[in-house]
Amino acid sequence: MISLAPLKILENKEFRNLLTGRFFIVLAFRMLATLLGWWVYKLTKDPFSIGLIGLAEVIPAVSCALYAGHVIDMNEKKKLLLICNYAYFFLISLLLIPAFFNVKLHFSGHEITYYIYGVIFLTGIARAFIGPIVPSMIPKIVKKINLPKAITLNQATFLISSVCGHAAGGFLIEYVGIAYTLVTVISLLLLSSFFFWKLNRQYSEHKKEEIKVLESMKEGISYIFKTKEILGALCLDMFAVLFGGAVAMIPVFATDILKTGADGLGLLNAASDIGAMIIILSLSVFPIKKNQGIILLFAVAGFGLCIIGFGASNYYWLSFMFLVLSGILDGISVVIRGTIVQLKTPDHIRGRVLSVNSIFIMSSNEMGQFESGLAAKYLGVVRSVLVGGTITVLIAILVGTTNKKLRKMQY
């Protein structure tokens, strides 16, 4: 019998405003990601240039992440969230210059690409802060007994907005062009801030003089390394997605192998998120009640097999289905991993632990984008995806055989 009890948590107005604001900001981010991959590949016709987008963002994001965790734990979170939101709004607005005026200003394709990399580098600094803030606010908004439900709904919101963002980004590029797609992205960032303003303030449990910056950062890192379940889950995610992420090369597959346009690109970009959204909504009603650790390991291995299938396919809808299935398995991984991290982390170091978590996520996603571009340059696009998927399967086997606590993890 289907129970809608988990959805009762949405009666919490504070939680609802946080999720709504996050929906619009992630929608903007995903539309932007689709846009940038298409725009840069159109300018350069070089798969490696797509990988450099991820590198441009991940360098400042990872460099600032540990300090960001300290700042989040020591300061009022609503204010930080709004500052990051408006920083993104301003920085993405800078992309309107080449989008609208590149002909009049006589920019070359490479000059526009370098300009894009520069803007994305600056957004990486804001990314270091905004990534951990929202999940760090959730435990203060909902009761601990409702935390697993809140984490699942938070991930569902993220994935629904990802699906809509990737798909809408492709359609908007096709029908209104790059410049007006950017205008839409900027408008969504502004809209998200409206809901963030409605949140209550969340003050730090620390006095600023209580703890020094380096000691604060060290405390968060030490806790993760002492908690083998968290360390194993994060390492599994980082290395699996680092090598198994085929999403970065989707503009190349869409253009050169599957022979589709920007609308087809949008659907391919959204495919894995569609799968993840389906499974996470299902898990909201039918949660995984036992053996979460071993299920996590099988999900990551299955994800790698789907990436191999995607790399080997020459048919659009078959490729689409492999990506949907990879999203289903990744969605299972996301829910289990996110619940482990939140349930195992005390409130007073939550920002720092989630910042380290964001390093793993950014390392896997953005560095994965760079790794995909680099591998495509030297191995070829198809071969690089096949090798990456194979490495992902092997990593799941390695972690499963060496981390007993993760393998036997249940919550």
Side-chain angles (χ1 to χ4, degrees):
M1 183 176 178
I2 296 176
S3 171
L4 297 180
L7 300 182
K8 288 185 178 180
I9 195 173
L10 293 176
E11 294 174 0
N12 183 329
K13 185 178 180 181
E14 180 88 350
F15 183 59
R16 207 165 58 238
N17 282 329
L18 183 66
L19 288 192
T20 306
R22 193 185 191 213
F23 174 86
F24 286 116
I25 201 170
V26 173
L27 186 67
F29 289 169
R30 290 305 185 238
M31 289 177 64
L32 182 65
T34 300
L35 170 68
L36 292 177
W38 180 264
W39 193 5
V40 167
Y41 188 63
K42 184 179 179 182
L43 291 168
T44 64
K45 296 298 181 183
D46 181 6
F48 184 61
S49 65
I50 301 174
L52 289 176
I53 298 173
L55 186 65
E57 185 175 18
V58 76
I59 289 174
V62 169
S63 300
C64 297
L66 292 177
Y67 178 70
H70 167 78
V71 172
I72 291 167
D73 277 338
M74 302 299 157
N75 291 275
E76 198 276 302
K77 294 179 177 63
K78 174 184 172 180
K79 180 180 178 181
L80 286 173
L81 181 58
L82 287 166
I83 289 172
C84 293
N85 198 149
Y86 289 125
Y88 259 103
F89 173 83
F90 171 74
L91 291 169
I92 301 306
S93 296
L94 296 177
L95 294 176
L96 293 173
I97 298 172
F100 276 104
F101 306 113
N102 63 307
V103 176
K104 292 182 181 179
L105 296 177
H106 304 291
F107 288 164
S108 70
H110 286 293
E111 286 173 336
I112 295 174
T113 303
Y114 296 146
Y115 182 87
I116 291 171
Y117 292 154
V119 171
I120 297 305
F121 181 90
L122 295 175
T123 66
I125 299 172
R127 170 78 178 272
F129 289 83
I130 203 168
I133 291 175
V134 171
S136 72
M137 295 177 79
I138 292 175
K140 292 284 188 178
I141 294 174
V142 303
K143 295 178 180 178
K144 188 172 182 178
I145 193 173
N146 291 324
L147 192 54
K149 301 172 189 175
I151 293 168
T152 302
L153 287 173
N154 180 50
Q155 292 296 338
T157 301
F158 174 86
L159 290 162
I160 291 169
S161 56
S162 290
V163 171
C164 296
H166 280 314
F171 283 111
L172 285 172
I173 294 166
E174 182 78 14
Y175 296 109
V176 303
I178 289 171
Y180 288 103
T181 302
L182 271 175
V183 170
T184 305
V185 169
I186 293 165
S187 300
L188 289 170
L189 290 172
L190 195 60
L191 181 59
S192 67
S193 69
F194 172 77
F195 292 94
F196 292 147
W197 272 110
K198 294 183 175 183
L199 299 174
N200 295 325
R201 293 178 180 271
Q202 287 193 13
Y203 293 98
S204 171
E205 296 181 358
H206 301 271
K207 293 180 180 179
K208 291 186 179 180
E209 66 271 19
E210 269 186 9
I211 189 166
K212 295 179 180 179
V213 175
L214 291 179
E215 292 176 357
S216 172
M217 294 190 294
K218 183 180 177 181
E219 185 182 5
I221 296 172
S222 297
Y223 183 80
I224 287 176
F225 277 90
K226 286 189 297 185
T227 312
K228 298 302 181 184
E229 299 93 325
I230 294 179
L231 181 63
L234 296 187
C235 287
L236 189 66
D237 175 69
M238 182 178 76
F239 291 109
V241 180
L242 176 65
F243 293 105
V247 174
M249 291 298 106
I250 284 178
V252 184
F253 274 86
T255 303
D256 299 342
I257 297 173
L258 303 177
K259 307 297 182 183
T260 188
D263 51 350
L265 165 70
L267 283 175
L268 284 175
N269 266 334
S272 61
D273 287 337
I274 290 172
M277 179 183 67
I278 291 169
I279 193 62
I280 286 179
L281 289 174
S282 299
L283 292 177
S284 299
V285 180
F286 304 105
I288 300 171
K289 295 183 178 180
K290 60 181 181 178
N291 300 323
Q292 288 91 348
I294 197 70
I295 291 172
L296 172 63
L297 291 165
F298 276 107
V300 172
F303 172 83
L305 292 174
C306 290
I307 296 304
I308 293 171
F310 171 78
S313 171
N314 290 317
Y315 301 97
Y316 180 86
W317 288 111
L318 181 60
S319 300
F320 178 84
M321 290 309 300
F322 272 121
L323 289 176
V324 170
L325 184 56
S326 76
I328 290 173
L329 294 167
D330 188 45
I332 294 171
S333 170
V334 165
V335 169
I336 295 175
R337 188 179 68 250
T339 306
I340 290 172
V341 172
Q342 289 280 24
L343 290 177
K344 288 278 184 179
T345 305
D347 284 340
H348 72 282
I349 59 169
R350 196 174 297 277
R352 281 162 284 171
V353 170
L354 289 172
S355 290
V356 177
N357 181 35
S358 74
I359 292 177
F360 280 80
I361 292 171
M362 288 182 288
S363 296
S364 60
N365 291 330
E366 277 69 27
M367 283 302 294
Q369 186 175 15
F370 174 69
E371 181 275 333
S372 295
L374 189 64
K377 184 178 180 69
Y378 292 104
L379 297 177
V381 175
V382 173
R383 191 176 299 169
S384 68
V385 172
L386 295 175
V387 170
T390 303
I391 292 174
T392 300
V393 176
L394 295 176
I395 287 169
I397 295 171
L398 178 63
V399 173
T401 54
T402 58
N403 194 320
K404 183 179 178 180
K405 282 194 173 182
L406 178 62
R407 191 169 66 247
K408 297 194 172 186
M409 173 70 192
Q410 296 192 97
Y411 52 81

